[in-house]
Amino acid sequence: MVNNLVQTTLLNCSLETKLIEAYHQKVNEIHRYLETTNDLTGWVEYPFQNHDNLLLEIENAANEIRTVADVLVVAGIGGSFLGARAIQDALTPYFGNAKNGIEVIYVGQNMSGAYINQLIDYIKDKEVYVNVISKSGGTMEPALAFRVMRQYMEERYGKESIERIIVTTDAEKGLLKKMADNSGYRQFVIPSDIGGRYSVLTPVGLLPIAVAGIDIRALMQGAKVAALEMQESDLEHNHAYQYAVTRHMLYEQGFKIELLASFEPSLNKFHEWWMQLFGESEGKQKKGLFPTCVNYSTDLHSIGQFIQDGSPILFETLLHFHEIEGDFSVPFDTRNEDGLNYLSNRTFNEINAISKQGTALAHADGGVPVIQLELPKLDAYHLGYLIYFFMKACAMSACLLEVNPFDQPGVEAYKRKMLELLQEEKVTT
Amino acid sequence: MVNNLVQTTLLNCSLETKLIEAYHQKVNEIHRYLETTNDLTGWVEYPFQNHDNLLLEIENAANEIRTVADVLVVAGIGGSFLGARAIQDALTPYFGNAKNGIEVIYVGQNMSGAYINQLIDYIKDKEVYVNVISKSGGTMEPALAFRVMRQYMEERYGKESIERIIVTTDAEKGLLKKMADNSGYRQFVIPSDIGGRYSVLTPVGLLPIAVAGIDIRALMQGAKVAALEMQESDLEHNHAYQYAVTRHMLYEQGFKIELLASFEPSLNKFHEWWMQLFGESEGKQKKGLFPTCVNYSTDLHSIGQFIQDGSPILFETLLHFHEIEGDFSVPFDTRNEDGLNYLSNRTFNEINAISKQGTALAHADGGVPVIQLELPKLDAYHLGYLIYFFMKACAMSACLLEVNPFDQPGVEAYKRKMLELLQEEKVTT
């Protein structure tokens, strides 16, 4: 049963038998807690449940949108935004629109007037659908964006706008649920026991991902395999827990920053999903590793200097996929003025993989602990697997820190301040 | 003379008279050093020099490219990449291509085979120019990308390829200079006394920026005004030095991370330019603040929790432009189901500005020191100003740390390791 699709290699840090023994019991206890508590752990069992009807419904909606629309505008922020965009970016082409000509554009994740102004202009000659995603409907940024998009759709499409707006929200509660019922919009449900940053494998992520042309069944299948493997409570056989314990150990040793690094630029947005998952789960009670990310080769010629030789406060987690679709051979050049003919029997992906090895060795030489996570292939199946791997590792890691992996009390602070300022102005104007 | 276009406000940290006195002499000494040394400080005086002929030549080349081509492919990495992309992203539209239909696409900043494979496919029906940027020509990533692009251009355009390839490199030395001379390519010069990360205001950045349709004279004018203001050696009147001393002071107090934050998503790539500037200048001899960046509102719903409430290891530098072109009014809705009608007399940019205030107050409340840098308007003039402001502040800051702001010995480490691995394979295959 235990295949461990993620292969873990450690450089400059170790998970010795002694340490495994020291953490063994605690990991076991937390494992049991995550399996039995009802505190927003719906995501743990979710991949085992039968979602056939739901997936069919999502695929039908996605096919309808892909047939009728040129653009799907998705309004959401945080966990209602980062996951879908991560998978979309990882698996759609670098240039131009997605394969079948439909664009998925996000809104409500920022408050830029220029952005929304230009968006409205950009879509004016295109057929549009809207998907608004919010558990409560009460978060200001996506709520304001949806207010704009809803009015736009009503003015442009009249009654047909009802068919073109799809709401992803709670089954029972909240402002957005009420609006959806009042207007008769199609609805997808966010399970009430799954928090935002653990929700990418629910309709929150699945609808935009399916519209982007990605195989959501492969994604779910990968997650299911991961969920099966990670039912293993034993630290020695559970790679997600090994990752969690290793990073926790490095934190205890005084490292302040975990740097997630990839060599494929399409993973940049996946990094941002990971940052929210770990930062929001662990960054509380004045604790936690600061999660940040880099993309190589770009950042080897930027922050690379700091990693190699600056303040010794960080460790690196190198994420690598062995197989990536699409490659290019280095051409032979009779002139050989650049002296690179010795690489002309190579492809870029091969050289990139060697650059990854070189980087790991150089950084380890520089005293930076390196965790290598390797997967066979960059595709929906393995990303589904990796998402679940990271969620399980993150919950374990936060529990090792003795903080709640599922709340985010600090996010409320700026909301309150902003509301105070806006309300003050409301009184004075 | 001293206008200080950048307004600095400090929350939760201070630059008291006592401290100003303590740093006064040191800042003065470093100022004199930067004005007189010949060690890669060509950028200090550069904005004062007369560049009229150069700017005209760049504008002519840019106009030619904008007339003939659909795509300019720019091959470069690090300082030969991040600056141009930063300004381009900050000042061109969010959706679709730049205003006049020309795309500037970068290559050689990564080694992804998928990326280059798709790029070659993407440009096949488009008219193409190439600009390769490298001081030496010896950096492997852009050298390999240029090898591909050069062969592509020769196969596609034959002898005309000579007109369509523009080389930005050293005036005398290096592989790329030799290749340009051999083939008769048009050349722009990288001044030999200006290092990569300080070079965006030279042809390195200016040609791609001009091709993207941005007013490079306004950019240079802004830089000149900044250079004039920052000739002031006195800490009390030099805002760049105040920023440098403040962040140095916070570093001395034990803060490990500086987080550059903006509320306009078009500034994401500008953040990355800033990260290279500071990370590569300061991160050596096991010293330096780790520079990283966030974009709000997005990241308030992600890493925001950590900033507010996680490990107290960071301070925040909030970058804010008062005026941004393009805005959108919150519409009034008779139904008011979302309860947001009280904002319907507001625009998004106004609410965004209030969100910035709320964030600064909330983070300061959470114990995070906040440096606010405010500029009148997001345009070429003020970005030119800000670029120079940050370069001067960075050089001062690195000198306060007693490291060389202009070298990057740590970048060589991974290059050596990679080369070793590639050469080994060369022997064995």
Side-chain angles (χ1 to χ4, degrees):
Chain A
M1 192 184 82
V2 182
N3 299 304
N4 282 320
L5 267 187
V6 174
Q7 288 304 318
T8 319
T9 325
L10 305 177
L11 300 174
N12 228 350
C13 57
S14 60
L15 202 63
E16 294 153 16
T17 321
K18 223 171 55 189
L19 271 164
I20 291 182
E21 278 168 17
Y23 279 101
H24 191 266
Q25 195 189 337
K26 197 157 189 193
V27 166
N28 247 299
E29 280 167 24
I30 296 169
H31 179 83
R32 268 204 310 281
Y33 165 76
L34 291 174
E35 301 256 311
T36 53
T37 178
N38 291 319
D39 180 20
L40 288 171
T41 45
W43 58 273
V44 176
E45 297 290 323
Y46 191 83
F48 295 129
Q49 295 154 9
N50 183 335
H51 300 295
D52 285 351
N53 289 340
L54 175 65
L55 293 183
L56 197 63
E57 213 187 323
I58 290 173
E59 284 166 341
N60 287 340
N63 286 337
E64 175 191 324
I65 296 169
R66 288 165 66 82
T67 307
V68 179
D70 305 304
V71 173
L72 172 68
V73 177
V74 178
I77 197 167
S80 300
F81 157 59
L82 294 164
R85 193 188 54 166
I87 304 304
Q88 184 196 339
D89 257 51
L91 299 178
T92 54
Y94 283 107
F95 304 99
N97 302 343
K99 282 171 197 111
N100 292 35
I102 186 160
E103 272 186 279
V104 179
I105 296 178
Y106 298 87
V107 71
Q109 84 282 29
N110 66 62
M111 287 290 290
S112 159
Y115 184 93
I116 202 153
N117 178 312
Q118 290 175 34
L119 173 63
I120 293 297
D121 185 59
Y122 181 70
I123 61 179
K124 69 175 186 288
D125 303 321
K126 299 178 172 70
E127 291 296 335
V128 182
Y129 266 65
V130 170
N131 177 209
V132 54
I133 309 173
S134 178
K135 210 166 191 173
S136 66
T139 303
M140 185 184 288
E141 292 90 343
L144 279 173
F146 181 53
R147 180 178 263 240
V148 170
M149 289 312 304
R150 189 187 189 195
Q151 192 166 96
Y152 174 86
M153 296 297 279
E154 286 170 353
E155 279 172 10
R156 180 164 164 190
Y157 292 109
K159 281 203 167 158
E160 201 199 322
S161 68
I162 294 170
E163 307 301 320
R164 285 175 180 254
I165 294 175
I166 299 175
V167 173
T168 306
T169 190
D170 192 83
E172 293 171 8
K173 288 179 308 210
L175 280 174
L176 185 56
K177 169 67 185 164
K178 212 177 235 171
M179 287 166 80
D181 286 347
N182 288 349
S183 293
Y185 298 135
R186 216 178 319 178
Q187 296 175 38
F188 286 100
V189 170
I190 309 179
S192 57
D193 58 353
I194 299 184
R197 59 188 175 274
Y198 294 83
S199 71
V200 52
L201 299 172
T202 74
V204 168
L206 293 178
L207 180 59
I209 290 169
V211 172
I214 293 157
D215 181 352
I216 57 173
R217 287 184 194 258
L219 192 77
M220 293 304 283
Q221 186 56 32
K224 190 174 178 177
V225 170
L228 266 166
E229 287 184 15
M230 287 151 214
Q231 277 190 313
E232 170 66 57
S233 66
D234 194 74
L235 178 56
E236 211 169 337
H237 298 106
N238 186 316
H239 278 209
Y241 292 168
Q242 286 174 20
Y243 169 59
V245 168
T246 308
R247 61 193 298 287
H248 181 72
M249 223 173 63
L250 291 164
Y251 173 73
E252 294 278 308
Q253 283 170 23
F255 289 96
K256 308 293 183 193
I257 297 172
E258 177 176 8
L259 201 62
L260 185 69
S262 300
F263 283 76
E264 188 65 32
S266 72
L267 291 166
N268 281 355
K269 306 301 183 194
F270 187 80
H271 290 174
E272 294 188 24
W273 170 81
W274 172 90
M275 274 175 65
Q276 185 202 14
L277 179 65
F278 280 86
E280 218 170 47
S281 297
E282 294 199 319
K284 45 199 78 161
Q285 297 176 34
K286 306 294 168 197
K287 298 183 193 175
L289 281 163
F290 183 83
T292 188
C293 51
V294 288
N295 197 282
Y296 298 144
S297 310
T298 295
D299 289 320
L300 288 169
H301 292 257
S302 162
I303 201 72
Q305 166 65 39
F306 190 104
I307 298 166
Q308 187 71 42
D309 208 20
S311 299
I313 54 177
L314 55 85
F315 69 90
E316 189 171 34
T317 298
L318 271 179
L319 182 60
H320 185 65
F321 292 86
H322 286 287
E323 192 187 335
I324 290 171
E325 208 179 295
D327 201 352
F328 203 88
S329 291
V330 174
F332 183 79
D333 187 327
T334 47
R335 294 164 290 191
N336 200 28
E337 292 158 295
D338 54 11
L340 295 172
N341 267 350
Y342 77 97
L343 294 173
S344 65
N345 57 337
R346 294 298 186 138
T347 73
F348 277 77
N349 284 350
E350 284 167 26
I351 301 169
N352 207 13
I354 292 167
S355 155
K356 192 236 12 155
Q357 287 175 46
T359 303
L361 293 172
H363 289 175
D365 267 5
V368 179
V370 178
I371 301 173
Q372 297 193 77
L373 302 178
E374 303 194 46
L375 288 100
K377 191 175 177 185
L378 180 55
D379 60 13
Y381 176 83
H382 291 92
L383 282 176
Y385 183 99
L386 188 60
I387 283 169
Y388 192 90
F389 172 91
F390 276 136
M391 295 197 303
K392 201 77 187 271
C394 180
M396 172 56 66
S397 209
C399 289
L400 287 169
L401 260 188
E402 300 181 351
V403 299
N404 182 345
F406 309 120
D407 67 356
Q408 54 283 334
V411 177
E412 301 305 317
Y414 101 90
K415 287 190 193 173
R416 272 195 307 273
K417 284 284 177 199
M418 177 167 76
L419 216 57
E420 274 171 37
L421 291 168
L422 286 167
Q423 303 273 9
E424 267 171 36
E425 303 214 353
K426 179 179 155 189
V427 176
T428 57
T429 53
Chain B
M1 191 184 80
V2 181
N3 298 304
N4 282 320
L5 266 185
V6 173
Q7 290 303 319
T8 320
T9 324
L10 305 177
L11 299 174
N12 228 351
C13 59
S14 62
L15 201 62
E16 292 153 17
T17 321
K18 223 170 52 188
L19 272 164
I20 290 180
E21 279 167 18
Y23 279 101
H24 190 266
Q25 197 190 336
K26 196 160 191 188
V27 165
N28 247 297
E29 281 166 23
I30 296 169
H31 178 83
R32 268 202 310 280
Y33 166 77
L34 293 174
E35 301 256 311
T36 54
T37 179
N38 291 319
D39 180 20
L40 289 171
T41 45
W43 58 273
V44 175
E45 298 289 322
Y46 191 84
F48 296 129
Q49 295 154 8
N50 184 336
H51 301 295
D52 284 350
N53 290 338
L54 175 65
L55 294 181
L56 197 63
E57 212 187 323
I58 290 173
E59 284 165 343
N60 287 341
N63 286 337
E64 176 191 324
I65 297 169
R66 289 165 66 81
T67 307
V68 180
D70 306 304
V71 173
L72 172 68
V73 177
V74 178
I77 198 167
S80 299
F81 157 59
L82 294 163
R85 193 188 54 166
I87 304 303
Q88 184 196 338
D89 256 53
L91 299 178
T92 52
Y94 283 107
F95 304 101
N97 303 345
K99 281 171 197 112
N100 293 34
I102 186 159
E103 272 186 279
V104 180
I105 296 179
Y106 298 87
V107 71
Q109 84 281 27
N110 66 62
M111 287 290 290
S112 159
Y115 184 92
I116 202 151
N117 178 310
Q118 291 174 33
L119 173 63
I120 293 297
D121 185 61
Y122 181 68
I123 61 179
K124 69 174 186 288
D125 303 320
K126 300 180 173 66
E127 289 298 334
V128 182
Y129 267 63
V130 170
N131 178 207
V132 55
I133 309 174
S134 178
K135 211 168 191 171
S136 66
T139 302
M140 184 184 289
E141 292 90 342
L144 280 173
F146 180 54
R147 178 178 264 241
V148 170
M149 290 310 304
R150 190 187 188 194
Q151 190 164 98
Y152 174 86
M153 296 297 280
E154 286 170 354
E155 280 172 9
R156 180 163 162 189
Y157 292 109
K159 280 203 169 161
E160 200 199 324
S161 68
I162 295 170
E163 307 301 320
R164 286 175 180 254
I165 294 176
I166 299 175
V167 173
T168 306
T169 191
D170 192 81
E172 294 169 10
K173 288 179 307 207
L175 282 175
L176 185 56
K177 169 67 184 163
K178 212 178 237 170
M179 288 165 79
D181 286 347
N182 289 348
S183 293
Y185 299 136
R186 217 177 318 179
Q187 296 175 37
F188 286 99
V189 170
I190 310 180
S192 58
D193 59 352
I194 299 183
R197 58 188 176 274
Y198 294 84
S199 72
V200 52
L201 300 172
T202 75
V204 169
L206 292 178
L207 181 60
I209 291 170
V211 173
I214 292 158
D215 181 351
I216 56 173
R217 287 183 194 261
L219 192 77
M220 293 303 284
Q221 187 54 34
K224 190 175 178 176
V225 170
L228 266 167
E229 286 185 16
M230 286 151 215
Q231 277 192 311
E232 170 67 57
S233 66
D234 195 76
L235 178 55
E236 211 168 338
H237 298 106
N238 187 317
H239 278 208
Y241 292 168
Q242 286 175 20
Y243 168 59
V245 168
T246 307
R247 61 193 296 289
H248 182 72
M249 223 175 60
L250 290 165
Y251 173 72
E252 294 279 308
Q253 284 170 22
F255 290 95
K256 308 292 185 195
I257 298 172
E258 177 175 9
L259 199 63
L260 185 69
S262 299
F263 284 77
E264 189 65 32
S266 72
L267 291 165
N268 282 355
K269 305 300 183 194
F270 188 80
H271 289 175
E272 294 187 25
W273 170 82
W274 171 91
M275 273 175 66
Q276 186 203 14
L277 180 65
F278 281 85
E280 218 169 47
S281 298
E282 293 199 320
K284 46 199 77 159
Q285 296 176 34
K286 306 294 167 197
K287 299 183 193 175
L289 281 162
F290 184 83
T292 187
C293 51
V294 288
N295 197 283
Y296 298 146
S297 310
T298 297
D299 289 320
L300 289 168
H301 292 257
S302 162
I303 201 72
Q305 164 67 37
F306 190 104
I307 299 165
Q308 188 71 41
D309 208 19
S311 299
I313 54 176
L314 56 86
F315 68 90
E316 189 171 34
T317 298
L318 270 178
L319 182 59
H320 184 65
F321 293 85
H322 286 288
E323 194 186 332
I324 289 169
E325 210 180 293
D327 202 354
F328 203 89
S329 292
V330 174
F332 183 81
D333 187 327
T334 47
R335 293 165 291 192
N336 199 28
E337 292 159 294
D338 54 11
L340 294 172
N341 268 349
Y342 78 99
L343 294 173
S344 64
N345 56 339
R346 294 298 186 136
T347 73
F348 276 77
N349 284 350
E350 285 167 25
I351 299 169
N352 207 13
I354 291 167
S355 155
K356 193 238 6 154
Q357 287 174 48
T359 302
L361 293 172
H363 290 175
D365 267 5
V368 179
V370 178
I371 300 174
Q372 297 192 79
L373 301 178
E374 303 196 44
L375 287 101
K377 191 174 174 183
L378 180 55
D379 59 14
Y381 176 83
H382 290 92
L383 283 176
Y385 183 99
L386 188 61
I387 283 168
Y388 193 90
F389 172 92
F390 276 136
M391 294 197 304
K392 202 76 187 272
C394 180
M396 173 57 67
S397 210
C399 289
L400 286 169
L401 259 188
E402 299 179 353
V403 299
N404 182 346
F406 310 121
D407 68 356
Q408 54 282 336
V411 176
E412 302 306 316
Y414 100 89
K415 287 189 195 175
R416 271 195 308 272
K417 284 284 178 201
M418 179 167 72
L419 218 55
E420 274 171 38
L421 291 168
L422 286 168
Q423 305 273 10
E424 267 171 36
E425 304 214 352
K426 181 180 155 188
V427 176
T428 57
T429 53

